[in-house]
Amino acid sequence: MRLTYPIIMGRTSLYIIHRTMRNTFGNLFTLTTFGESHGIAVGGVIDGFPAGIDIDMDFIQSELNRRRPGQSHITTARKEADKVEFLSGVFEGKSTGTPIGFEVRNQNQHSQDYENMRCLFRPSHADFTYNEKYGIRDHRGGGRSSARITISRCVGGALAKLALRQLGISITAYTSQVGNIALEKDYHQYDLNTIEDNPVRCPDQAKAKEMEDLIAQVKADGDTIGGIITCVIKGCPAGLGEPEFDKLHAQLGAAMLGINAVKGFEYGEGFAGVTARGSEQNDVFVPKDENTNQTADKSINQDVAARITTRSNHSGGIQGGLSNGQDIYFRVAFKPVATLLMEQDTVDLEGNPTKLTARGRHDPCVLPRAVPVVEAMAAMVILDNYLLNKTIKL
């Protein structure tokens, strides 16, 4: 936000440029984050989290471990334990309903690696745009624009997952494409329980090895590569979302596009569906017993969604901006990481042409570590919408 406030001093009008940054996500369930890549710590405050939820500290830490750097030979070599410390909102293993404060201390910063970037604009980074908006920037690892800030999102997402778990809602993301190596089947045909069996987090072990080898080669070349993460949400009840400006797919899209390096979002059939006709794309409603071979309860008091399903799911679990009770699935496209360990043309703060050779520790492909971030953002969107639409019964 950029506002101009006039201050009258005698006959002189002075103007103060007020620049602020939005750091809060959500409506009822909110996450406000703080910190920089090379600062003392990153962390956040979660508000609106239901009381009485069992808080599994080991699970929360395991989610951070999936995101942390240095976990394999195809990720950045930065070594961080990413140990989360909760400051409030949890008592005797349960949430109290009060704000949950937390922090993760930075312990392995190599700020000197970025000194040659102090007066330069890195290609395809936020350096130039941040400088233009705020008039100041932290050149050490990108400061606030660093992907390290996603730690706070993973904590918020882990807590949201714990609440959703009690509602029977699960969220699983996986790497479905790296460069031109892509999975050829849809998610139903893979065992999503196997994504942690390889460093790429891909459910096809043969394809995962190809992806891993490609990332390793790209890293050896000092280059980077992008790809696609697919996410599946199961057990989501019908009716979450809004029919107008806050459509559920719009909220999920905004959440995903707010992740560092994301360039695209599609749900359901997405762009591939434009070549089909409506007669091929429509998800026909049928009695639930047609698909399950079970007799549906015809009681007038039973929820309609318990008696009705769809024969297909081209819509991706969302119709008219609202969840329809089917699996929600979507794909997120990530660009190649902008930091290259090779010489690039750029300009300095004065606009003079110069050369930049990046130093430091960087990911050649962000996807393996972005999988838990995609899950976290999806979890927070779904929990926020559940709280807006339902009452959690424990």
Side-chain angles (χ1 to χ4, degrees), residues 117-134:
M117 305 177 191
R118 177 184 290 272
C119 297
L120 304 178
F121 291 128
R122 296 171 297 170
S124 288
H125 278 274
D127 298 347
F128 173 76
T129 50
Y130 263 56
N131 193 71
E132 284 297 293
K133 181 175 178 66
Y134 300 107

Side-chain angles (χ1 to χ4, degrees), residues 177-179 225-229 332-336 365 367:
Q177 183 169 343
V178 173
I225 197 163
I228 294 173
I229 289 175
V332 186
F334 286 78
K335 72 173 184 176
C365 178
L367 274 79

Side-chain angles (χ1 to χ4, degrees), residues 1 20-26 134 144:
M1 183 182 297
T20 62
M21 183 184 300
R22 177 166 169 76
N23 299 293
T24 300
F25 174 86
Y134 300 107
R144 186 70 175 154

Side-chain angles (χ1 to χ4, degrees), residues 264-297:
F265 170 84
E266 64 174 0
Y267 74 103
E269 292 293 308
F271 289 103
V274 303
T275 59
R277 298 192 178 191
S279 56
E280 300 170 305
Q281 283 287 298
N282 281 355
D283 295 319
V284 177
F285 290 105
V286 295
K288 184 160 286 188
D289 55 326
E290 176 179 310
N291 282 0
T292 63
N293 294 319
Q294 296 177 358
T295 302
D297 181 2

Side-chain angles (χ1 to χ4, degrees), residues 47 72 87 112 127 159 178 204 217 248-249 298 322 333:
D47 205 358
S72 78
L87 310 176
Q112 68 277 7
D127 298 347
L159 286 166
V178 173
D204 184 318
Q217 182 58 58
L248 185 58
H249 57 270
K298 299 300 191 296
L322 306 171

